[in-house]
Every structure is written in structure tokens, then in C-alpha cells.
Amino acid sequence: MNVASKGGGGGMAASRIVVITGVSKGLGRALAVEMAKRGHTVIGCSRSQDKLNALQSELSSDKHLFLNADVRSNNSIADLARVVMEKRGIPDIVVNNAGMINDNKKLWEVPVEEFDSVIDTNVKGVANVLRHFIPLMLSRNEGKNPSGIIVNISSGWGRSGAAHVAPYCASKWAVEGLTRSVAREVPSEMAVLALSPGVIHTDMLESCFGESSMKNYPKPDAWAVRAATMILNLTAADNGASLNV
């Protein structure tokens, strides 16, 4: 990764259009706020309209766009891509952040509906975003100069295993494999990569470890400062990589 490039600065770097899924809470919300602070145009989506409205009010700028969309639905993401193109243009960066984890249970104790929800959100959701946003990036300058960075949020559990979270681990291993494969399909001017955020004190990980076990880990706001700098400095040379914040 080219950490010496200008993209990590505050107002000094050229403003970019950044799409982030799952901005209602946790890492997605923190990253959206941090990108906005640095002067970039943020387009976020979530299934919670109330939380989208709250985020829009907090950022108090009409240049940002927060839309109700469900990554599990191909049609919903097709509509999202169309609205993004119509209202803000081709995004420079897409962060596939929306995700969920199963309740702590052995695989055979996880209800089939819950297993399906994890896969539908974490795997199919990523695929739906790739399906509709990669063609937008390919069309830049009438296809003569395609460019763009797509970051698929993975996990340490997408590179290892753990008891009681088998559906989540399986989904993040799938994200890693999907990322490496799609990276071989995009032109050399683009990058599709997997990014593990590390262990962050989020509601999702509290559900695994308990609040007391998470108190010494960084909160999403602190993580977002490092993550934004890293994401803004990614280049086509990072295509296919599996990185850590």
C-alpha cells in the first residue's frame, strides 16, 4: 500500500465520492463521519431510516447522501447504484461494510433462518454491491479510463476459525475468496481488496465476548481515523490484497 500518497490528508486531498454500506452504527457510521470530516462526499446506506436521518443531521451538509437500502436485495442495490449515479456520479471508493454475526451457538444449534441471514448479508450483500458498482467504475470516461477502489470488510475470522461463530467465519472466508477472484476480473487501473478491521469495541463483538472483555479495545471512532487514512491511500497496486487496519 502506498502510504505516502496524498489521499490520507484532511482538506488537502481532492474530494472523493465514497460509498459505504451499513452506516447506521459501528464501523460504518464511524467511517462515514470520519470521511465527511476530511471533506469527502459520503453516500451511505442502511435499513434503518431513523438512524440515516440522525446521521444526515449530524453531518449537516447537503453534499452527503444517505439512502435506505438492503444489501441482501439485488433489486435494492440496483436502485441504490442508479440513484448514486444520478445524484452524485461515479464513486471513487466503495466500502462493503454491512454485516452481521450469529448469536454464539454451535453450528447445529444455529437456526437455519439465522444462518441464511448471515450469508445473505455478508456474502450475497457484498456480491450485490460488486455486481452493480463495478460497472459504474468501468464506465468512467466512457470506459477509456476506468478506476476505483472497492474495499470488502473482512475479519480475522475470515482467515482463521472460532467456535460458536461458524456461520460468520464461513461468510468472511467467502468474502476473502470472492475478493481475490473478482480482483482478477477487473482492469489494472482498479483495485478490489479485503480489509480486516481488527478487534474493535462494537456492539457486534460485544455479543461474542461480553462488554467487560471489550473495554480495552479501541472504539469505532478511534479506528475510523486509522482506517480512513489507509483506505484513502489505497491504489491499484493493492488489487487482490488481504490487508489489516
Side-chain angles (χ1 to χ4, degrees):
M1 186 186 66
N2 180 14
V3 296
S5 67
K6 295 180 180 180
M12 295 180 65
S15 178
R16 302 193 207 174
I17 299 172
V18 183
V19 173
I20 306 172
T21 66
V23 297
S24 64
K25 59 183 179 180
L27 303 184
R29 190 183 198 284
L31 186 60
V33 171
E34 183 62 28
M35 289 291 190
K37 284 180 180 177
R38 299 187 188 206
H40 303 289
T41 298
V42 177
I43 302 165
C45 73
S46 163
R47 290 180 287 157
S48 173
Q49 189 61 52
D50 289 345
K51 292 180 179 179
L52 289 171
N53 292 343
L55 184 54
Q56 183 81 64
S57 297
E58 178 180 336
L59 297 182
S60 64
S61 173
D62 291 338
K63 82 176 193 174
H64 307 301
L65 191 63
F66 296 102
L67 302 165
N68 195 307
D70 185 350
V71 298
R72 301 172 301 178
S73 165
N74 181 65
N75 289 339
S76 181
I77 298 307
D79 289 342
L80 175 68
R82 177 182 53 78
V83 173
V84 168
M85 186 65 180
E86 290 175 355
K87 294 184 177 295
R88 295 296 184 273
I90 301 172
D92 300 294
I93 299 171
V94 173
V95 182
N96 253 319
N97 166 76
M100 65 170 292
I101 198 167
N102 58 284
D103 290 337
N104 278 18
K105 290 178 181 175
K106 295 173 182 176
L107 176 64
W108 54 92
E109 297 171 346
V110 177
V112 65
E113 297 82 6
E114 185 176 1
F115 186 96
D116 288 348
S117 291
V118 172
I119 299 302
D120 287 348
T121 303
N122 297 3
V123 183
K124 293 182 182 179
V126 170
N128 288 335
V129 172
L130 295 174
R131 181 179 298 116
H132 294 289
F133 280 90
I134 288 177
L136 291 187
M137 292 175 164
L138 291 174
S139 71
R140 196 185 307 274
N141 296 324
E142 300 180 346
K144 296 176 183 177
N145 186 26
S147 65
I149 303 292
I150 299 179
V151 178
N152 297 328
I153 297 298
S154 181
S155 169
W157 282 339
R159 304 165 192 173
S160 64
H164 304 128
V165 285
Y168 181 78
C169 289
S171 73
K172 292 303 184 178
W173 275 85
V175 168
E176 291 277 340
L178 185 65
T179 299
R180 294 184 190 187
S181 297
V182 175
R184 294 173 177 262
E185 299 172 348
V186 298
S188 59
E189 299 88 351
M190 292 178 61
V192 181
L193 60 123
L195 183 64
S196 172
V199 181
I200 312 300
H201 189 166
T202 60
D203 292 343
M204 191 169 76
L205 285 190
E206 272 191 19
S207 73
C208 297
F209 301 119
E211 184 176 2
S212 60
S213 299
M214 297 300 301
K215 63 183 180 180
N216 293 324
Y217 289 100
K219 294 288 186 71
D221 291 351
W223 170 86
V225 175
R226 294 183 290 115
T229 297
M230 184 175 188
I231 290 169
L232 291 166
N233 281 291
L234 294 168
T235 72
D238 296 301
N239 189 37
S242 292
L243 304 176
N244 304 291
V245 176

